[in-house]
Amino acid sequence: MTPQFGLIIVGDEILSGKRADKHMPKVIELLSARGLALSYAHYVGDDPERITRTLRTAFATADVVFSCGGIGATPDDHTRQCAAAALDRPLALHPQAADLIRERMQDVAREEGKPYEPERADNLHRLNMGVYPEGARILPNPYNKIPGFSCDGPGGGTVHFVPGFPVMAWPMVEWALEHYCSEWFHREPQTEHSVVVYRAMESTLTPLMLEIEATYPTIKVFSLPSVDHPVHGRHIELGVKGASDAVPAAWEMLVTALHRIGADLGPEMVRNR
């Protein structure tokens, strides 16, 4: 059974508006390209207690969750410590992560034409970026070698932790999908079929929506109202979505009912993934 996919985005800079979130659209894109969908997203500031609560909830599920941000080694980076607290596990330096971080420090020293000094205080501090909850697996970082990590929770799901920088995070999310989630790729093609309904009221359409979902339990009916669309004006995009082979019957029930009540219909839209 395909799990639900979630996203956690950590950082005061997102909630304050200093930075605009780019992760959610990209994660939706990466999932959609593989026949998967994002079920939920949470935005969390740099508050250790709240991060821990959010991660504890994620670990209790059977979901696959991506957590972006807060895994560095500065005072406002709390995600690694919060993950350990959420799992009730100790933190430990991951040997493979330590090797990769040292490789990165050597690369930087070489690029700057300076000697590599492994015992220098700042280089020792950088090793904290490889301190994860015990039992974590590393996520390779093709941008600068400093890895992220993945942890399994008691609920049977997994949280994959990546940096907040898109140039690092997105390839790491894609790597996690390819290596841990490929069994769910394109297992069941999905279709959305919808139509523009002019000057309609959601309250009037709700009984029909409920009837369709009761008749076809695997189908979801959706209603997206708009009051000031530049082309269609006030309207509702009303549609059905689900497994591609189940949608046609539900769609037929929807349009038949709309014609019966004399609804003013506009263009149809079909989306497949």
Side-chain angles (χ1 to χ4, degrees), residues 12-254:
D12 285 348
E13 67 277 8
I14 301 296
L15 297 178
S16 69
K18 288 182 179 179
R19 296 270 179 91
D21 170 47
K22 298 179 181 178
H23 292 302
M24 188 164 71
K26 186 63 178 183
V27 170
I28 290 171
E29 175 191 319
L30 293 173
L31 290 169
S32 181
R34 293 160 174 80
L36 304 171
L38 185 67
S39 295
Y40 57 88
H42 299 295
Y43 291 86
V44 188
D46 295 317
D47 177 344
E49 184 178 342
R50 190 175 295 277
I51 296 170
T52 300
R53 285 203 308 269
T54 303
L55 290 175
R56 188 175 288 123
T57 298
F59 282 126
T61 70
D63 302 345
V64 176
V65 179
F66 297 97
S67 176
C68 303
I71 63 171
T74 57
D76 59 343
D77 289 319
H78 307 291
T79 304
R80 293 177 295 102
Q81 299 89 330
C82 293
L87 290 166
D88 195 25
R89 296 180 193 167
L91 286 161
L93 180 61
H94 192 290
Q96 191 175 355
D99 289 342
L100 288 165
I101 294 168
R102 291 188 181 104
E103 280 186 30
R104 173 59 180 167
M105 291 188 289
Q106 291 176 61
D107 292 343
V108 171
R110 191 178 307 111
E111 291 166 6
E112 294 179 349
K114 298 177 181 178
Y116 169 52
E117 301 174 273
E119 301 305 315
R120 202 174 67 199
D122 59 332
N123 283 335
L124 291 174
H125 178 73
R126 289 188 178 95
L127 291 175
N128 287 320
M129 291 186 288
V131 172
Y132 311 140
E134 276 192 354
R137 305 179 301 279
I138 68 165
L139 283 176
N141 180 346
Y143 183 79
N144 67 2
K145 298 184 180 179
I146 298 176
F149 62 100
S150 303
C151 293
D152 299 324
T158 302
V159 181
H160 300 290
F161 295 89
V162 301
F165 299 105
V167 70
M168 303 178 196
W170 298 349
M172 296 166 78
V173 169
E174 192 158 18
W175 189 94
L177 285 170
E178 292 294 331
H179 286 79
Y180 294 126
C181 305
S182 60
E183 64 184 288
W184 302 302
F185 291 178
H186 303 288
R187 288 188 63 182
E188 192 175 59
Q190 301 287 301
T191 296
E192 287 185 11
H193 199 163
S194 62
V195 64
V196 169
V197 185
Y198 294 112
R199 295 171 293 279
M201 300 290 290
E202 283 188 298
S203 58
T204 304
L205 298 172
T206 296
L208 172 59
M209 297 169 69
L210 293 171
E211 183 182 0
I212 293 171
E213 289 195 345
T215 305
Y216 300 99
T218 63
I219 291 293
K220 288 185 177 180
V221 184
F222 63 91
S223 170
L224 300 174
S226 179
V227 296
D228 58 354
H229 192 277
V231 175
H232 300 296
R234 185 169 70 82
H235 74 279
I236 293 173
E237 181 188 346
L238 185 66
V240 293
K241 60 184 178 180
S244 295
D245 58 355
V247 163
W251 169 252
E252 182 63 27
M253 182 176 177
L254 175 65

